[in-house]
Amino acid sequence: MKMDDIARLAGVSKAAVSLAFSGKPGIGAETRERIIQIAKEHGYQPKTRSTASDQQTDSITFLVFANSGIVLEQYYQQPFFRELIHYIEERCRANGYSLIFTSVDMANFQHGIRTIAQEKRTDGVILLGTNLDKAHLEQVSQQLDAPLVVLDTCFEMLPIPFIQINNIMGGYQAGAHLCGFGHREVGYIASDIRIRNFEDRRIGFMQALRDNGVALAEDSVFAVAPTILSSQEALKRQLSAFLDKGHSLPTAFFCECDYIAISAIKSLTELGYRVPEDISVVGFDNIQEGLIVSPELTTVHVEKERMAHLAVDMIIEAIETDTISFSKILVDTHFVERLSTRSID
């Protein structure tokens, strides 16, 4: 008789069986009693941790490799990551785990991995993969001797559990919204630092334009820093140069993230344009700052709470059952229409 068999007989997951035996929260009292009773009836004896281990607090590490591009050294102050961390902390606490924060400078990538692997001070690792490529993720997974779940990116060919935004869907929703509002002259404001998320958002957006018979002119694509919430001189220079060539600005812009969208609204305002009366602006991520900017930002909502819960639940299941599920979970987005877009008269 194994834990799998108890789970099957009780009609629950292996993680629920483990929670029942450990006495941790996360399942109801009736479910816990049913699992324990079935175990007794079949003579199953759960494995127990050593005394030294029992005296330790179960912990999960939130691992970040910071750089000067997307994931900054003070990543916990960046709105998107701040919200994500909040939900991860809540979920860990609800399940009796403490959350340890570990940040490594990308310039010391190799040394950072070795140090974390040698310390062995955590039961599992949730890795923020936003700014990491396939090679980075392979190295991390090969050297860490603990269950691992990667959050906010995905490489389908790697045998690693991933929780990822459906960025293609979100980009498509943004494009469909603008086309549905009658916009035919559409512009695109990209990040000047490229990651998988942004590439997928562009794929979805471009597909929406094609499906609606709208073309994106090459010279209507601009690029700016993705982590600045104020107006950007770089964007104002690009837009001014575009105007100097005799062009008219597009009637709408899709921005690859809310940071860029908020920055674009401020930059356009300083150039004398009104949002949305003259130009509509759509962002992506639905950070709280989008409700503060004027006008309130139309954006693509990312289910940050759902992603956080999935990541924590997956890593706890791996810890409690001593098995790893190599699932890749894609979390859908939904569109939030606010005041920064309007239809063409």
Side-chain angles (χ1 to χ4, degrees), residues 175-194:
H177 170 76
L178 292 178
C179 291
F181 268 13
H183 293 280
R184 312 297 293 179
E185 301 296 326
V186 177
Y188 192 98
I189 306 180
S191 163
D192 59 8
I193 297 170
R194 306 311 298 164

Side-chain angles (χ1 to χ4, degrees), residues 94-115:
N95 285 277
Y97 281 80
S98 62
L99 188 63
I100 299 171
F101 294 92
T102 299
S103 179
V104 177
D105 192 320
M106 281 292 289
N108 300 315
F109 186 83
Q110 295 291 348
H111 175 72
I113 297 174
R114 287 194 298 269
T115 300

Side-chain angles (χ1 to χ4, degrees), residues 57-76:
T57 301
D58 295 327
S59 65
I60 294 171
T61 291
F62 184 71
L63 176 58
V64 175
F65 289 92
N67 59 16
S68 60
I70 298 293
V71 183
L72 307 180
E73 185 177 352
Q74 282 76 37
Y75 65 90
Y76 46 84

Side-chain angles (χ1 to χ4, degrees), residues 211-268:
D211 287 352
N212 286 276
V214 176
L216 177 66
E218 290 185 10
D219 56 4
S220 293
V221 178
F222 308 91
V224 296
T227 55
I228 297 175
L229 289 170
S230 59
S231 66
Q232 295 192 49
E233 289 300 322
L235 179 57
K236 289 194 287 186
R237 285 196 300 270
Q238 292 176 59
L239 295 176
S240 295
F242 180 82
L243 292 168
D244 289 343
K245 294 179 181 178
H247 302 305
S248 297
L249 287 185
T251 61
F253 279 112
F254 171 59
C255 304
E256 286 185 331
C257 68
D258 282 353
Y259 290 91
I260 294 175
I262 292 170
S263 178
I265 289 174
K266 294 180 177 180
S267 298
L268 287 165

Side-chain angles (χ1 to χ4, degrees), residues 243-304:
L243 292 168
D244 289 343
K245 294 179 181 178
H247 302 305
S248 297
L249 287 185
T251 61
F253 279 112
F254 171 59
C255 304
E256 286 185 331
C257 68
D258 282 353
Y259 290 91
I260 294 175
I262 292 170
S263 178
I265 289 174
K266 294 180 177 180
S267 298
L268 287 165
T269 299
E270 291 180 8
L271 288 174
Y273 290 89
R274 299 168 302 162
V275 176
E277 291 83 0
D278 300 321
I279 301 175
S280 291
V281 175
V282 176
F284 197 116
D285 283 334
N286 196 21
I287 61 176
Q288 290 298 316
E289 283 72 6
L291 291 169
I292 300 171
V293 69
S294 180
E296 292 184 359
L297 182 64
T298 296
T299 186
V300 176
H301 177 72
V302 172
E303 296 284 354
K304 294 176 280 291

Side-chain angles (χ1 to χ4, degrees), residues 28 31 36-38 45 63 66-67 91 112 123 129 136 140 146 161 212 225 232 266 271 278 299 309 311 335:
T31 302
I36 292 174
Q37 183 60 37
I38 291 172
Q45 293 294 325
L63 176 58
N67 59 16
R91 194 67 164 186
D123 296 285
H136 289 136
V140 174
N212 286 276
Q232 295 192 49
K266 294 180 177 180
L271 288 174
D278 300 321
T299 186
H309 288 187
F335 197 77

